[in-house]
Amino acid sequence: MSGETDHSMEARTAQGDELEPPASFVEQANVTDPGIYDEFAENWPECWEQAADLLDWDSDYDTVLDDSNPPFYEWFTGGELNASYNAVDRHLDERGDETAIEWIGEPTDEANRSYTYRELHREVNEAAAALRDLGVGEDDVVTMYMPMVPELPIAMLACARIGAPHSVVFAGFSADALATRMNAADSEYLVTCDGYYRRGDALEHKAKADDGLASVDHDVTSVVVDRLGDDYDHPMRDDDVDYDALVDEHTGADVDPVSRDAEDMLFLMYTSGTTGEPKGVKHTTGGYLSWVTWTSQAVLDVKPEDTYWCSADIGWITGHSYIVYGPLSLGTTTVMYEGTPDYPDKDRMWEIVDEYETTQLYTAPTAIRAFMKWGEQYPAEHDLSSLRLLGTVGEPINPKAWKWYYEHVGGEDCPVVDTWWQTETGGMMITTLPGVGEMKPGAAGPPLPGLDVNVVDGSGQPVDAGDAGYLTVDRPWPGMLRTLYQNDERYVQEYWAEYSDTDSDDPDDWTYFPEDGAKIDDDGYITVLGRVDDVINVSGHRLGTMEIESAIVGVEGVAEAAVVGGNHPVKGEAVHAFVITEDHADGGEELRERIIQGVEDAIGPIARPESVVFTPELPKTRSGKIMRRLLEDIANGDDLGTTSTLRNPDVVDDIQAAVEGE
Ligand code: WTA
């Protein structure tokens, strides 16, 4: 790993303080025994029966881990269960009248919707009957392209009930992104929505869904939820099905939850990688559900009587694992908020915590940086004393933001868990156990018990404490992805090839590579430094540079493009595009606009470039590779160091002139 990266990270993670978790928290925590680390290490892999035991199984598994064919591991083999039964039905006796989902719309003058477990059970059954009626069968992939409306988790659970894997596409993604994912998954069903509210406006969503469907190369049945009512009279195409009307036809229907094999697919989630094609990450019913349920209990300290709030969008993995499956499997109340944190004012989050007396808050560092910028007066206006635990996920959190969160939101009375994980890991991997370990702002923490995580150099040897290296995971875990959808070869190539002997069938020869850089301290605490592949993390959202580059190259007049991530005070990273036009000239405002639009059309507004710099050439090494690091330095205004290894060193002056002229 290069010295420059290490240096800038050093600045970001200047550490020193260690904090004990508050005694009042520890007294009541779900996990308090430090012996859990040794216990799990000694009793591996059987330790993970503790996670499986949190679920209700229709039939017991025979084997905890089948590692006979690495890296195609299987967990809880032979067991059968249903995720919707675990998230809903099994709570009916004791918690039927307690709130399962507390849904808060963005407009403050409308009635929010809360669903008891009994009501959720009704809705899920009726939706399951409705989907079946449309022809959805076991193993059919149902795509969902919906904002934060209650029908989204209801439809997910309805799919789980009938054994149909869902593939949720973030509503902020573009029509093209929807089409790519539906084509890749051969998905013949779509559940979407007319629109949603954003900062007071009714925004239409359905037109985007329809545009996407126009590029899907097979027939699709599309079901449309009416969120906006009279605020938007959405057009329906001939074959579109109205969600409410369809569900009404099934009022009172009961659908038996289908027993699924532990290894049957629960869902697919597309995520960005190094190449342009999004990766269809496959998660299974037994391993994934055990993992998110156990981590919700052990790390987020979820208890049934809590009002737990994760402010992510369900369109990302965090929402799947820690708004829907984990919390509901534990029978708690999970909060779902439709809008943004600054509408109608910058205290909306704190107003919600205050009003609903939420007990946990799990959010992203980018949100915390925005809160800091807005000022501590906003949280100070509200009673936040109901909070017991705070969490972060999605990107590194610098100690300053960590401390702000701890002090101004947690009142120095709540532990903060900085949780490192990925779409592929299903759930949390590196974090302190809040009732056990001390906290070090800036460092995520040790790996969870039962995990074998290391920081190594390029040849796989552990690095010294404090040195930067690459994160690796040396043993399988129940929540891990099983493969990339219909692409076993890419699965091996992307995640295992780097540090494994891929000819071996000995699981000890296999190591998972998450493509993150990290360092580890003398106490085994890991500070995650960020991606080492061509992935940019904008506001905690993963974007592939290749995807953005191919969108830009698709714009008329563009010959070549390189995209890099530059530092950004709130978003963490921002997209910077360096573009060569067909005539090697400055493309001007008009082309710049078309490039930005092209990226929004291909991916979505989250990928919008912060800057577009026209350059006659891109800096290339002698072997013809684009020197991205140099472009990153230019985007960050950093010293460039030596450029003598370039084939075309003169280009650097041209680019810098273009940046200044922009
Ligand atoms: C980054 C989100 C530092 C990391 C759950 C990872 C983090 C990528 C942290 C996965 C953290 C996530 N500290 N970096 N606590 N959490 N990341 O798949 O680079 O959207 O590889 O999953 O986010 O992003 P994904």
Side-chain angles (χ1 to χ4, degrees):
M1 190 164 257
S2 81
E4 303 140 43
T5 316
D6 196 19
H7 174 76
S8 69
M9 291 303 165
E10 208 70 69
R12 188 151 98 194
T13 55
Q15 290 169 5
D17 315 299
E18 293 162 9
L19 291 154
E20 290 296 331
S24 56
F25 178 87
V26 177
E27 263 166 35
Q28 59 78 63
N30 286 338
V31 178
T32 51
D33 179 7
I36 188 171
Y37 291 96
D38 286 345
E39 182 200 324
F40 274 44
E42 283 156 23
N43 187 28
W44 191 89
E46 280 73 25
C47 55
W48 291 120
E49 291 194 70
Q50 289 193 22
D53 284 350
L54 294 174
L55 303 179
D56 283 5
W57 295 77
D58 301 338
S59 42
D60 287 341
Y61 49 87
D62 338 290
T63 315
V64 175
L65 166 65
D66 177 352
D67 58 3
S68 56
N69 183 28
F72 299 94
Y73 298 98
E74 293 188 1
W75 285 89
F76 311 123
T77 315
E80 289 189 338
L81 75 168
N82 181 281
S84 140
Y85 178 86
N86 273 281
V88 187
D89 303 44
R90 66 173 178 150
H91 308 306
L92 291 178
D93 278 351
E94 282 183 21
R95 302 193 50 79
D97 297 321
E98 304 297 331
T99 306
I101 298 179
E102 191 77 74
W103 178 80
I104 303 165
E106 190 189 87
T108 46
D109 56 357
E110 78 170 337
N112 295 322
R113 284 190 252 165
S114 85
Y115 296 82
T116 63
Y117 274 95
R118 209 174 306 289
E119 288 163 341
L120 181 62
H121 181 252
R122 246 321 71 248
E123 298 271 346
V124 169
N125 271 277
E126 289 166 8
L131 289 173
R132 253 197 194 158
D133 188 21
L134 289 180
V136 178
E138 219 176 319
D139 295 318
D140 288 341
V141 176
V142 178
T143 302
M144 288 163 206
Y145 185 46
M146 288 159 110
M148 290 286 280
V149 290
E151 288 81 0
L152 174 54
I154 289 167
M156 290 163 73
L157 293 165
C159 282
R161 196 166 191 87
I162 60 177
H166 50 75
S167 166
V168 179
V169 177
F170 174 55
F173 275 139
S174 68
D176 287 0
L178 171 68
T180 312
R181 287 157 178 75
M182 289 195 77
N183 282 328
D186 287 323
S187 174
E188 294 176 354
Y189 301 92
L190 173 69
V191 186
T192 187
C193 185
D194 60 340
Y196 51 97
Y197 292 97
R198 201 46 100 240
R199 296 202 172 86
D201 295 326
L203 298 189
E204 58 168 63
H205 179 67
K206 184 171 186 296
K208 233 171 37 165
D210 290 349
D211 277 357
L213 287 178
S215 309
V216 175
D217 48 27
H218 52 260
D219 287 343
V220 174
T221 306
S222 173
V223 185
V224 185
V225 172
D226 182 358
R227 159 73 184 115
L228 297 177
D230 293 342
D231 280 353
Y232 174 49
D233 191 11
H234 59 276
M236 291 287 271
R237 304 173 317 154
D238 286 350
D239 299 334
D240 286 343
V241 182
D242 177 70
Y243 179 92
D244 288 330
L246 179 69
V247 169
D248 278 351
E249 286 170 27
H250 298 275
T251 305
D254 283 315
V255 173
D256 284 340
V258 173
S259 273
R260 297 279 281 169
D261 190 280
E263 282 295 309
D264 278 343
M265 172 158 58
L266 177 60
F267 67 87
L268 260 182
M269 165 137 265
Y270 283 89
T271 189
S272 296
T274 305
T275 65
E277 282 282 288
K279 307 190 274 197
V281 170
K282 174 182 161 181
H283 281 296
T284 57
T285 313
Y288 169 83
L289 201 63
S290 304
W291 194 251
V292 298
T293 306
W294 184 81
T295 47
S296 293
Q297 192 190 52
V299 180
L300 297 170
D301 202 50
V302 170
K303 300 177 171 47
E305 56 279 9
D306 284 339
T307 301
Y308 155 89
W309 185 17
C310 164
S311 72
D313 191 293
I314 295 178
W316 303 99
I317 191 71
T318 304
H320 279 52
S321 302
Y322 298 112
I323 297 178
V324 183
Y325 286 111
L328 291 177
S329 293
L330 291 171
T332 196
T333 300
T334 185
V335 173
M336 223 183 129
Y337 172 51
E338 178 185 35
T340 55
D342 56 353
Y343 185 85
D345 204 348
K346 296 189 176 68
D347 67 340
R348 186 69 190 270
M349 301 278 294
W350 321 122
E351 189 181 79
I352 292 172
V353 170
D354 193 349
E355 183 177 341
Y356 291 86
E357 299 185 7
T358 67
T359 39
Q360 289 93 340
L361 178 65
Y362 189 35
T363 192
T366 185
I368 298 167
R369 290 190 298 267
F371 303 149
M372 280 174 76
K373 207 172 94 183
W374 298 339
E376 61 199 57
Q377 67 276 22
Y378 292 103
E381 277 166 26
H382 294 276
D383 179 1
L384 308 182
S385 60
S386 57
L387 288 169
R388 184 172 86 241
L389 172 132
L390 303 175
T392 72
V393 57
E395 43 172 334
I397 179 162
N398 54 314
K400 202 168 158 205
W402 193 105
K403 286 180 193 154
W404 191 93
Y405 193 36
Y406 179 72
E407 193 180 327
H408 297 290
V409 180
E412 301 188 7
D413 216 14
C414 303
V416 175
V417 285
D418 169 1
T419 61
W420 177 88
W421 57 289
Q422 309 180 292
T423 304
E424 291 86 343
T425 67
M428 299 162 182
M429 300 289 282
I430 304 176
T431 169
T432 49
L433 285 168
V436 176
E438 61 182 17
M439 302 171 279
K440 299 189 188 185
L448 283 171
L451 293 181
D452 186 5
V453 176
N454 296 291
V455 180
V456 302
D457 63 18
S459 61
Q461 294 308 309
V463 296
D464 290 337
D467 286 354
Y470 302 101
L471 208 55
T472 56
V473 187
D474 276 290
R475 269 186 193 160
W477 66 100
M480 65 194 295
L481 79 165
R482 296 303 192 268
T483 192
L484 293 177
Y485 190 55
Q486 294 177 336
N487 203 340
D488 289 348
E489 202 181 317
R490 188 170 174 202
Y491 166 67
V492 176
Q493 214 47 46
E494 293 257 1
Y495 302 108
W496 302 91
E498 190 80 25
Y499 288 107
S500 309
D501 171 3
T502 51
D503 293 328
S504 169
D505 55 14
D506 179 352
D508 289 343
D509 292 334
W510 288 81
T511 294
Y512 173 83
F513 180 41
E515 307 208 65
D516 269 317
K519 58 184 189 176
I520 186 161
D521 72 11
D522 289 326
D523 300 326
Y525 274 53
I526 293 173
T527 297
V528 179
L529 303 173
R531 304 285 303 192
V532 294
D533 57 359
D534 294 329
V535 166
I536 306 181
N537 192 331
V538 179
S539 301
H541 302 324
R542 247 169 94 166
L543 301 169
T545 48
M546 287 271 289
E547 283 168 83
I548 307 175
E549 284 164 8
S550 69
I552 297 178
V553 173
V555 172
E556 210 185 311
V558 172
E560 201 181 344
V563 161
V564 298
N567 300 331
H568 188 279
V570 175
K571 298 178 189 168
E573 284 189 288
V575 174
H576 294 271
F578 295 87
V579 176
I580 307 181
T581 61
E582 273 166 2
D583 51 10
H584 292 254
D586 186 328
E589 247 348 271
E590 187 266 336
L591 182 57
R592 181 172 283 122
E593 284 305 314
R594 282 197 290 118
I595 287 171
I596 291 172
Q597 195 55 49
V599 173
E600 291 199 6
D601 289 347
I603 302 165
I606 39 165
R608 191 187 158 90
E610 184 87 1
S611 74
V612 175
V613 173
F614 293 108
T615 162
E617 264 188 277
L618 291 168
K620 293 200 173 152
T621 60
R622 297 223 162 87
S623 61
K625 276 192 167 170
I626 297 173
M627 275 265 275
R628 285 171 192 284
R629 177 132 344 262
L630 194 75
L631 293 174
E632 276 168 26
D633 289 343
I634 292 174
N636 288 332
D638 287 348
D639 277 351
L640 298 188
T642 172
T643 53
S644 57
T645 52
L646 286 179
R647 188 171 65 184
N648 50 354
D650 295 346
V651 72
V652 173
D653 291 339
D654 293 341
I655 299 179
Q656 279 189 316
V659 169
E660 275 151 30
E662 203 210 341

